[in-house]
């Protein structure tokens, strides 16, 4: 039996997709690169922005055609879009056989077995963590580790709390054991994943819980793990203890992804982010003071309801003031079920939204290109991932600051190389290997 999997959306979904692959392969399925050849067509969906829905629906139309030609094909739809459409999915898309929410991935095997009898749907907020399943990893020496699911924040634009439910944390010992097992399996770098990693553990019983800073230190001292990252912290919950853990634990990488969303205090208020521009900048200053040569990236939204020219200009000036090394930039898109959709007018015309996103992207490029130059003409540690994507004779890896480097050399994937950086574009660096690094 063959399966074909298409995954959309965020890093949480990338993580879930690795688990779906691992689970299906343990059931004897093999991955097919071509959707037409598959016995099981599986989608892992996202619904955070309107464009995600549109892209997915295009792909689902393709699955309908294949199923029409071969009715034995099973079509399965998992993830956030499925969860958000749970009342409608089987009536609107009758060719879908299985639909399940992000909390039901561990039951995928059972759902496939039951599908033989009837169309099945499974949705809940308190399902098992997909982190407990075996993964088929995209990068063999890197693993995602899901520390929590759900989100207790109330950001007015965001659909995540409605589809992923309240925040639930995994037990710290289970996480440390998982990371130790990954290290035994050759993994050298882990990224801890949660919607708001800083509130990790608050839902666990007293006496059993760890703070996020304590978890970072514990994971960071697992033998064989050389690099630890995490995403994403909410600025309102980022505390000194996390900054101190990063400064004091050698394996914790010098990179913070700190979603700002907007540079305007008034917009932040409408977004219910609960911090001001000033508090955000103050936090950033403390991060830069505490962690030497840290890189900082962010998420920014343009065209939020009511965003004035001045408020948008505040976002541009934040990019310069914060000196971002990179940013994910988004055009606001109204999501039914959010506070903003219910209470605010999506009143920024599409043409103005595109003008703003273009200006934002240009500013981010300019700032991050200037930032990347600080690495040039120096030697840096690179964790080797494999051949370079555009030139198989060269290698690809990342700095501790999470910036990709393409370089000439002979280091093996999963090792640490010392690379002399010779050039910088905004997104990637180029260089030459000058040695290897043996980790302590
Ligand atoms: N419109 C545009 N961007 C959004 N994001 C979340 N919801 C929306 C929305 N409705 C962005 C935020 C978040 C990232 C994952 O997606 O910037 O941090
Ligand atoms: Fe959405 Fe805000 Fe939670 Fe992030 S913190 S998942 S933006 S509600």
């Amino acid at each position: 039996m063959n399966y074909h999997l298409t995954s959309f959306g965020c890093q949480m979904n990338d993580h879930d997709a690795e688990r779906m692959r691992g689970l299906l392969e343990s059931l004897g399925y093999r991955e097919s690169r071509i959707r037409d050849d598959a016995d099981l067509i599986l989608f892992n969906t996202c619904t955070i922005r309107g464009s995600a829905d549109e892209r997915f629906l295009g792909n689902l139309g393709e699955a309908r055609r294949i199923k029409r030609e071969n009715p034995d094909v099973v079509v399965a739809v998992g993830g956030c879009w499925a969860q958000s459409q749970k009342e409608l999915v089987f009536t609107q898309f009758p060719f879908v056989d299985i639909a399940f929410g992000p909390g039901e991935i561990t039951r995928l095997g059972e759902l496939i077995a039951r599908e033989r009898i009837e169309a099945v749907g499974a949705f809940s907020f308190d399902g098992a963590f997909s982190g407990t399943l075996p993964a088929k990893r995209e990068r063999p020496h890197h693993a995602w580790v899901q520390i929590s699911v759900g989100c207790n924040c109330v950001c007015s634009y965001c659909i995540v709390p409605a589809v992923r439910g309240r925040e639930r944390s995994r037990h710290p010992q289970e996480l440390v054991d998982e990371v130790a097992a990954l290290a035994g399996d050759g993994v050298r770098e882990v990224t801890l994943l949660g919607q708001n990693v800083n509130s990790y553990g608050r839902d666990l019983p007293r006496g059993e819980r760890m703070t996020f800073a304590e978890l970072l230190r514990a994971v960071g001292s697992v033998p064989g793990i050389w690099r630890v990252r995490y995403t994403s912290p909410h600025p309102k919950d980022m505390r000194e203890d996390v900054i101190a853990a990063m400064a004091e634990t050698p394996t914790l990488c010098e990179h913070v992804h700190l979603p700002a969303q907007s540079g305007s205090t008034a917009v932040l208020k409408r977004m219910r982010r609960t911090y001001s521009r000033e508090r955000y900048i103050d936090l950033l200053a403390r991060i830069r003071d505490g962690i030497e040569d840290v890189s900082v990236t962010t998420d920014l939204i343009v065209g939020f309801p009511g965003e004035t020219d001045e408020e948008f200009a505040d976002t541009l000036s934040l990019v310069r003031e914060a000196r971002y090394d990179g940013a994910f930039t988004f055009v606001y898109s109204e999501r039914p079920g959010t506070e903003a959709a219910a209470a605010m007018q999506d009143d920024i015309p599409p043409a103005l939204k595109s003008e703003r996103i273009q200006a934002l992207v240009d500013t981010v490029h300019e700032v991050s290109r200037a930032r990347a130059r600080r690495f040039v003409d120096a030697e840096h540690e690179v964790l080797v991932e494999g051949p370079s994507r555009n030139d198989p004779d060269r290698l690809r890896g990342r700095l501790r600051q999470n910036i990709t480097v393409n370089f000439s050399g002979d280091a093996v994937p999963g090792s640490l190389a010392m690379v002399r950086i010779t050039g910088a574009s905004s997104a990637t660096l180029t260089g030459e290997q000058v040695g290897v690094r043996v980790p302590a």
Side-chain angles (χ1 to χ4, degrees), residues 48-49 157-158 259 261 299-301 330-333 335:
I48 201 153
R49 287 174 292 278
Y157 52 83
C158 187
Q261 311 300 0
D299 291 349
L300 294 164
I301 299 175
F330 305 102
V331 174
Y332 172 71
S333 102
R335 310 296 0 335

Side-chain angles (χ1 to χ4, degrees), residues 373-440:
R373 282 196 211 110
R374 75 188 189 280
F375 297 112
V376 177
D377 290 332
E379 287 173 18
H380 288 277
E381 179 199 287
V382 172
L383 180 58
V384 184
E385 289 173 6
S388 159
R389 290 197 210 274
N390 333 332
D391 179 355
D393 292 335
R394 288 163 66 79
L395 294 171
R396 169 179 52 93
R398 275 171 216 231
L399 299 188
R400 293 175 57 91
Q401 284 83 356
N402 208 33
I403 298 173
T404 297
V405 186
N406 290 300
F407 62 102
S408 56
D410 58 5
V412 292
S415 71
L416 292 175
M418 290 309 294
V419 174
R420 180 159 195 85
I421 306 298
T422 52
S425 75
S426 73
T428 57
L429 300 171
T430 50
E432 295 151 10
Q433 185 184 336
V434 292
V436 292
R437 174 86 191 267
V438 183

Side-chain angles (χ1 to χ4, degrees), residues 7-245:
S7 185
F8 302 89
C10 65
Q11 284 153 331
M12 195 68 85
N13 268 21
D14 292 343
H15 165 274
D16 286 347
E18 290 189 346
R19 307 293 145 153
M20 291 181 189
R21 288 195 168 89
L23 186 141
L24 289 170
E25 298 197 7
S26 76
L27 296 175
Y29 280 83
R30 306 187 116 247
E31 182 157 16
S32 158
R33 297 273 153 213
I34 302 165
R35 194 178 280 153
D36 273 278
D37 292 348
D39 306 291
L40 169 66
I41 299 177
L42 175 60
F43 294 100
N44 187 27
T45 62
C46 167
T47 192
I48 201 153
R49 287 174 292 278
S51 54
D53 288 12
E54 283 158 29
R55 259 183 354 130
F56 161 62
L57 288 173
N59 277 262
L60 190 60
E62 179 70 14
R64 173 192 304 171
R65 174 190 63 75
I66 297 170
K67 175 116 182 168
R68 213 178 274 146
E69 287 161 16
N70 178 5
D72 290 340
V73 168
V74 173
V75 177
V77 180
C80 293
W81 177 88
Q83 178 88 27
S84 73
Q85 300 292 313
K86 59 179 189 284
E87 279 92 18
L88 297 169
V89 57
F90 293 116
T91 47
Q92 288 205 338
F93 307 95
F95 57 96
V96 169
D97 302 294
I98 302 173
F100 57 103
E104 300 297 334
I105 292 164
T106 53
R107 289 179 51 210
L108 184 54
E110 176 203 330
L111 296 175
I112 292 171
R114 279 187 32 209
E115 178 281 328
R116 308 265 141 96
I117 310 162
E118 56 179 353
V120 288
F123 304 96
S124 72
F125 284 148
D126 50 6
F129 291 100
S130 65
T132 55
L133 292 171
K136 183 184 170 195
R137 288 189 294 275
E138 194 87 30
R139 289 183 269 159
H141 304 284
H142 172 270
W144 303 110
V145 175
Q146 181 189 25
I147 65 168
S148 61
V149 292
C151 184
N152 293 352
C153 298
V154 291
C155 303
S156 59
Y157 52 83
C158 187
I159 191 67
V160 166
V163 291
R164 297 232 176 193
R166 305 270 309 159
E167 180 174 305
R168 282 160 297 123
S169 304
R170 286 175 68 196
H171 202 278
Q173 192 56 49
E174 185 186 326
L175 292 170
V176 171
D177 291 347
E178 181 173 317
V179 172
L182 288 167
D185 210 22
V187 166
R188 297 292 165 247
E189 176 175 319
V190 294
T191 305
L192 308 184
L193 270 183
Q195 302 295 349
N196 175 9
V197 289
N198 284 304
S199 57
Y200 168 78
R202 289 183 198 163
D203 56 315
L204 293 174
R206 226 177 268 276
E208 288 176 33
R209 63 170 86 134
M210 261 189 201
T211 64
F212 182 58
E214 289 165 342
L215 181 71
L216 278 177
R217 288 180 193 267
V219 168
S221 46
V222 170
I225 294 296
W226 301 339
R227 290 182 172 189
V228 178
R229 306 183 186 282
Y230 60 91
T231 196
S232 299
H234 191 304
K236 79 175 166 60
D237 293 320
M238 180 93 176
R239 303 260 188 282
E240 288 307 324
D241 60 344
V242 171
I243 301 174

